[in-house]
Amino acid sequence: MNNMLFLIYHLSVYSRSVQNKTNMKIKFEHKLAIIIAFAALPAFAQKDPENIGTEVVNVVKPYTPTISDAFKVKETPSLDDEETLKKETIAYNIFSFPVASTFTPAKGKAVGVDKEQQERIYKNYATLGFGSYAAINAELFITENLNDTDYVGGMLRHQSSQGNIKGVDLDDKFYDTSLDLTYGSRNAGFSWTADMGYQNQVYNWYGIEEGVLTDAQFDAIDPAHTFHNFYVGARLNSKDGFFSEASLKYNRFWDALGSAENRFYVKPKFSFDVMSTKINTDFVIDYVGGTFEKDYYGINSIDFNYIGATSLEYNYINFGVQPSILYQKDDLSVNFGAGIFYSSGKQNGKSDGKLFVYPAIKASYKVVGDLMIFYAGAEGGLRQNSYRDFTNENPFLSPTLIVAPTDNQYDIYAGLKGKLANNISYNIRGGYNSEKNKALFMANAYDVANVNTEGYTYTNSFQVAYDDLKTLSFFGELKADFSKSVTFGINGTFNSYTTSIYDEAWNLPAIKLGSSLDVAITQKWFAGANVFFVGERKDIFPSDQSVKTLDSYFDANLNVGYKYNERLTAFLKANNIANQAYQKWINYPVQQFQIMLGASYKFDF
């Protein structure tokens, strides 16, 4: 212990002796002395066995707590650094360089797919069916290629029935036979076809009003009448140049009672582009002329003042031009145009000419792609009527008609069409149509004093009555392809008519509904069905000219087929399966439940 004290003493003396040196050196040496002293202390203590005793030292310090000033931490601290407010502009640079790759992908192999055997397409077919009411339905279609560009074709059709309609006493059979021939050529820049055909139709005026005729009058009726039609025509289509297409046709129509009619038209069309805008121009020259042997009252004169008097001769020629401009941008498509027609005609021995101007505007806009397309338009035109066209719609007309064109002033419409799903499409439309000189079918009046004793003067024929007609219409249609095997469609038309001359729009229904369903049951079996509904119509009783309401009707039809092989198919058709004896025309009931069994055969030469 004494040694340790001696060492401490000499160290302190030494430190004072060097006091004049720099402070950093003094402090360092002083610290070094203390460290050495404490390091040597245990060694000296271990050498001294003397017990120095223990002593407890209590250090007492009073606790005096203090409270600092409170402050609120800001939710959004303020930043004084201006640099934090600046948005740095970051520039991205891509340093691309080619990388050599030795990877060679292996050739893939397509997964095998089981392909269905493609059905062979035959050029020719024949159909033959027999049914109730001694009905026959036959068709034969033949086409043959002469070389790489030219071909010929022909179609023979026959439909007939021996009648025997329930409640009908007169002969009610009908025949309809036609033959059509075609020669055509397809080339790289254009194609053309030449057509020729003949049709023979036999009908009977079998619709007699009950309780009007005597037995002698009834027995004297010869209800048969025959139509003949012959035509030649051609069509030309061009893919190059401003000439687009043209069609022309000559039609000769006559009956067994001295009536005859000629119809000729030519319709060229030109199309060209000007500054990405498409310009179309349609031309038309349409002529119709004919004669009737006598009027409804059997007099060869046109000076009458009573209902039923008709002219014996008529002819009209219409000249028309319809230019239009097609504008398309994005989802909008607009076709601006107008129709200008000049009509020169002769009726009731008088000739006159008149100029007509019609709108020809159509527009469509894709609101939601193909899901919803809005379309609208305002169109019109001069429609050439003919004896031939009238008899195709109503074969029970008397050959004593007034034939004149219809002035369709305007047809304004708007609608929506599109898809509810990929396999469901729809179309709804509303319109307002104005027609001057609209042709309507109305029953001929019966007159006991009529000197004309032809088979159409006994309450069993119709005339053409003209009126100025305005029609408000709504149309809706829905089509669905539920699968490759099932397709369905339904449509409806609702009309409201306003007339100017007559009290009613004769024989025009306010409601028309239709629906169809086609099903491929298996690869061999298929079936189809269609139903249509026609609402009430107005006509007059021929005997007293009072208004008659014809009942509405519906007609349901079903067909089933079986494909025996790729050539031969058998079918079964059932028509009017509800067995309704409805009247499409006044006093003309239709055949009730009908059934037909037949087969079709495809072949090549």
Side-chain angles (χ1 to χ4, degrees), residues 524-545:
K524 295 287 188 179
W525 289 93
F526 61 91
N530 67 81
V531 178
F532 59 88
F533 172 85
V534 178
E536 295 180 345
R537 290 93 58 223
K538 302 288 186 179
D539 207 329
I540 60 172
F541 280 109
S543 57
D544 60 8
Q545 298 291 286

Side-chain angles (χ1 to χ4, degrees), residues 496-546:
S496 177
Y497 305 103
T498 302
T499 57
S500 298
I501 300 174
Y502 297 100
D503 294 331
E504 303 291 344
W506 306 117
N507 284 293
L508 293 181
I511 300 175
K512 283 185 177 181
L513 302 174
S515 180
S516 64
L517 175 68
D518 293 296
V519 181
I521 303 172
T522 65
Q523 290 184 348
K524 295 287 188 179
W525 289 93
F526 61 91
N530 67 81
V531 178
F532 59 88
F533 172 85
V534 178
E536 295 180 345
R537 290 93 58 223
K538 302 288 186 179
D539 207 329
I540 60 172
F541 280 109
S543 57
D544 60 8
Q545 298 291 286
S546 61

